[in-house]
Amino acid sequence: MSDAPADPALRAAYRLCRRRTKTEDPAEYALIQLVPAPLRPALHALWAAANALDDLGDDRTAPAAERAARVEAWITALHRELPTGTSPDPIRHALVDTAVRWRLDLSELHAAMTQVRDDTDGRRFTDWAAWRAWGRENLLPWFAQVRAILDGAGVPVALRLDTREAYEEFLDGVRLTDILTDLSADLAQGDLLLPEEALDRHPGASDDLTHRRWSPAVAALVAELTGLARRWVGQETLTRGMHPGPATVLHTMAALLHAQLDAVDAAGPALLCDRPRPALRARARILVPARTRAALAWSLTPLTLPPPQPLDAPRQPPAPARPATAPAFRRPPPHPSGDRPPAIPAAHLPTHVAVIMDGNGRWAQQRGLPRYEGHRAGAGAVREVVHGALEIGLRHLTLYTFSTENWSRDTEEVDAILGLLRDEVAENPFQDLDVHMRWHGRAGRLPPDLADLLHLRERTTRDRTGLTLTMCIDYGGRDEITRTAAALARRVRAGHLDPDRITDEDFARHLPHPDMPDVDLLWRTGNEQRTSNFLPWHAAYAELHFTPGLWPDTDRRHLWQAVTAYTHRQRRLGAAPSAPTPL
């Protein structure tokens, strides 16, 4: 490569990563060959690091506890080596150098890497939802690093996707294709990485697979799963509006996955004994024209590359990867008045409080300021209320931040709101608090950099167990219900649901956030008394609490007052009243 590092050991490390990629995953190597040559070493380093970690976790010559210890030692060593810019391990050496050169935030990989450690004890999945969560937690962070490299190279909207759902479903297809391809090796190790929901549709298939017997039930299961994988990787909207370079890579990846699924289908009983591979002729039909298209696409794109660093140049480390141990979170700062939170027993707290933060614009207008200044002041109230939620031990707080209807506001105000959101999420004021941040809403209309920041915060805080803070951005309740109905319709069309037997539970499982609990307390500020299309499914039985104050004047004490008022209400949920339980 033209910008090869001056350090011979580093050059050797990158060559090892390239050789391992080519030898152990020819399809991945072929895809990397479709990107410009200066980007390939970084991608080889990422692939080799992910594979080295998987190899440690899968080495069945060692007991599970020893494998888990080896994986954790690898992660701990990476954390220790990142600030130094080097490593005695050649694959980590290349990964560390890639992180330094491309300014990657490897803390995003923490959950994916520790998942490999946890998987040494084996995995079982009751349903597709659990299976998807496992697969996405493993794949999404690594793909995010690829996106960061393309962004750093100046590729416009690198891997920008119309919808998050299409992207994640594509990765589900990648994972399912890999599992079907590696079925023989996994079964030999006693692993069956398919959800019980899928196995139960074919009685006897689970037992037959465990004993490596090919049967009609296994054949029907494999046929159903390859069909499902084809549908997942065949996302027509995936590359809409994308730069032609990454679009070519994704189109080629989809075509190679289809070829791999053809090989799985054609393998028959041999699938349980050996890893199926597509015919060389089939691969050539895909790759030869793809190379021509990729070369043309990239020839029209000037790249921004990090400058080569002299051997003795000081290196500024990237953001360090988090250690495998749980971090210590700080407590929220006390209220300036010295007021302390009320002592409410956990059994009497609402599980989920949702807030309509009304009155920002009116607050600004009362002071002769532009409306967007009210939103800026309201950001301080958000921090206050989050601090108050942590202090009383609230588990879920959901904020109506920007609705689907808010796009109709003045362009200047919309731009200001989105800019403020971008600044707040980038500043990450809850970084040191035990707050799991989530985003609920549509991705298609948000600025790509804001959507990427929201995804980043969600990924890097997903293992936090304190307060779950959900920000509803480009959210509408009717839109959520419409999308859920469409998901159910797709399941009915695929033959997985009987439309005459759809239950409330079926509907809830297909919501965009199926794990979001029902709202116990819905609080609106600003002296308005309506719910404004906010969480209609979740808030069907919520206690309503309306207060006159405008949102920017709100602080944590108002949350405490709302929660205290909730504890004095008798919640019957349609049942007959009973004697109140004293606090």
Side-chain angles (χ1 to χ4, degrees):
M1 55 186 178
S2 59
D3 61 337
D7 181 359
L10 187 55
R11 287 202 303 271
Y14 276 114
R15 283 198 299 269
L16 173 63
C17 292
R18 178 180 181 273
R19 187 165 59 250
R20 286 195 61 169
T21 308
K22 185 175 184 179
T23 302
E24 299 177 26
D25 195 339
E28 183 72 22
Y29 180 81
L31 290 171
I32 294 175
Q33 291 298 104
L34 299 179
V35 304
L39 309 186
R40 294 173 194 166
L43 302 184
H44 290 142
L46 285 171
W47 183 91
N51 201 51
L53 209 56
D54 284 342
D55 286 348
L56 288 175
D58 290 340
D59 180 11
R60 296 309 172 101
T61 63
E66 183 177 337
R67 284 182 276 128
R70 290 175 183 176
V71 171
E72 186 162 350
W74 197 98
I75 298 170
T76 302
L78 175 65
H79 171 68
R80 184 178 61 248
E81 293 157 358
L82 268 171
T84 72
T86 188
S87 170
D89 178 271
I91 290 177
R92 286 201 306 270
H93 193 182
L95 179 63
V96 166
D97 181 75
T98 292
V100 171
R101 285 166 56 82
W102 290 97
R103 305 301 302 158
L104 301 181
D105 181 2
L106 294 190
S107 67
E108 289 188 59
L109 297 176
H110 174 75
M113 292 190 294
T114 55
Q115 185 193 81
V116 175
R117 178 198 63 198
D118 297 340
D119 284 351
T120 55
D121 284 331
R123 283 285 175 137
R124 290 292 183 270
F125 311 102
T126 57
D127 53 27
W128 281 112
W131 182 90
R132 288 189 187 95
W134 166 76
R136 292 176 183 182
E137 186 169 334
N138 183 269
L139 288 179
L140 277 167
W142 292 99
F143 273 71
Q145 300 299 319
V146 175
R147 295 182 64 191
I149 290 170
L150 289 169
D151 282 333
V155 178
V157 195
L159 294 184
R160 173 63 180 150
L161 305 163
D162 285 341
T163 65
R164 181 182 183 184
E165 290 87 350
Y167 179 35
E168 295 187 347
E169 200 162 87
F170 178 80
L171 294 185
D172 292 341
V174 173
R175 170 62 71 190
L176 184 54
T177 303
D178 285 345
I179 288 173
L180 292 170
T181 300
D182 294 332
L183 193 58
S184 60
D186 289 341
L187 291 174
Q189 297 179 158
D191 292 330
L192 182 54
L193 301 177
L194 295 171
E196 293 173 11
E197 179 182 348
L199 295 167
D200 289 346
R201 287 174 54 83
H202 302 277
S206 179
D207 187 62
D208 288 336
L209 284 171
T210 300
H211 293 89
R212 305 180 74 177
R213 295 191 299 258
W214 186 260
S215 67
V218 170
L221 171 68
V222 170
E224 178 180 307
L225 295 179
T226 55
L228 186 60
R230 289 180 202 280
R231 189 166 75 246
W232 284 344
V233 301
Q235 298 288 337
E236 294 180 0
T237 64
L238 194 63
T239 58
R240 186 178 299 163
M242 191 185 294
H243 180 279
T248 298
V249 175
L250 279 179
H251 281 307
T252 307
M253 185 176 185
L256 289 173
L257 288 166
H258 278 290
Q260 184 62 48
L261 291 167
D262 289 342
V264 170
D265 275 334
L271 183 66
L272 306 185
C273 306
D274 199 6
R275 190 178 195 271
R277 295 183 182 276
L280 292 177
R281 183 177 300 176
R283 284 170 47 87
R285 281 199 301 266
I286 296 168
L287 291 173
V288 170
R291 290 170 188 143
T292 302
R293 290 195 303 271
L296 176 60
W298 293 113
S299 69
L300 305 174
T301 306
L303 298 178
T304 302
L305 302 176
Q309 297 194 13
L311 190 59
D312 56 351
R315 317 200 82 187
Q316 182 181 1
R322 288 181 292 171
T325 55
F329 297 110
R330 66 177 177 86
R331 296 177 61 84
H335 190 271
S337 69
D339 288 353
R340 300 296 303 156
I344 301 175
H348 296 285
L349 278 173
T351 297
H352 185 184
V353 175
V355 186
I356 301 174
M357 305 177 293
D358 195 14
N360 290 320
R362 283 177 283 156
W363 183 92
Q365 289 172 331
Q366 289 175 3
R367 291 159 175 76
L369 300 171
R371 286 178 58 86
Y372 61 78
E373 289 296 339
H375 299 291
R376 189 179 306 279
V382 169
R383 299 188 188 194
E384 259 293 294
V385 168
V386 169
H387 292 160
L390 284 166
E391 286 186 304
I392 61 173
L394 190 64
R395 303 295 299 177
H396 290 267
L397 177 66
T398 299
L399 305 178
Y400 207 178
T401 309
F402 188 86
S403 75
T404 52
E405 290 78 19
N406 287 156
W407 293 104
S408 63
R409 294 188 178 186
D410 180 82
T411 302
E412 183 181 9
E413 182 177 357
V414 170
D415 290 344
I417 293 172
L418 295 178
L420 175 63
L421 280 172
R422 183 186 298 107
D423 293 342
E424 281 291 296
V425 178
E427 184 179 346
N428 199 10
F430 310 125
Q431 179 177 2
D432 299 326
L433 302 174
D434 192 8
V435 176
H436 172 204
M437 294 182 64
R438 297 206 305 185
W439 162 35
H440 190 9
R442 281 190 170 271
R445 294 187 290 190
L446 292 183
D449 58 339
L450 174 58
D452 286 345
L453 272 172
L454 291 166
H455 290 320
L456 171 63
R457 294 291 171 254
E458 186 165 342
R459 287 194 302 272
T460 55
T461 63
R462 67 175 57 188
D463 55 348
R464 301 187 181 191
T465 58
L467 173 70
T468 295
L469 173 64
T470 303
M471 296 181 294
C472 291
I473 303 175
D474 197 8
Y475 169 86
R478 288 183 174 179
D479 175 74
E480 177 183 27
I481 289 176
T482 301
R483 292 161 63 192
T484 303
L488 284 168
R490 287 192 292 269
R491 294 276 290 170
V492 169
R493 184 176 60 188
H496 299 318
L497 276 178
D498 180 345
D500 295 323
R501 296 186 177 181
I502 293 176
T503 65
D504 287 3
E505 290 75 16
D506 291 320
F507 192 93
R509 280 197 298 270
H510 289 82
L511 288 164
H513 281 298
D515 59 337
M516 177 182 282
D518 284 348
V519 174
D520 299 305
L521 174 62
L522 178 60
W523 169 31
R524 180 173 188 147
T525 63
N527 209 30
E528 300 287 352
Q529 298 190 16
R530 56 182 180 271
T531 58
S532 297
N533 197 25
F534 185 39
L535 299 176
W537 178 270
H538 300 87
Y541 286 98
E543 297 293 322
L544 304 180
H545 184 75
F546 301 108
T547 53
L550 305 179
W551 178 253
D553 294 325
T554 301
D555 68 19
R556 71 188 78 179
R557 294 173 298 184
H558 296 96
L559 172 69
W560 297 340
Q561 291 166 8
V563 170
T564 300
Y566 167 87
T567 65
H568 292 106
R569 297 192 186 182
Q570 188 178 15
R571 305 200 73 209
R572 299 193 294 272
L573 304 180
S578 58
T581 302
L583 292 180

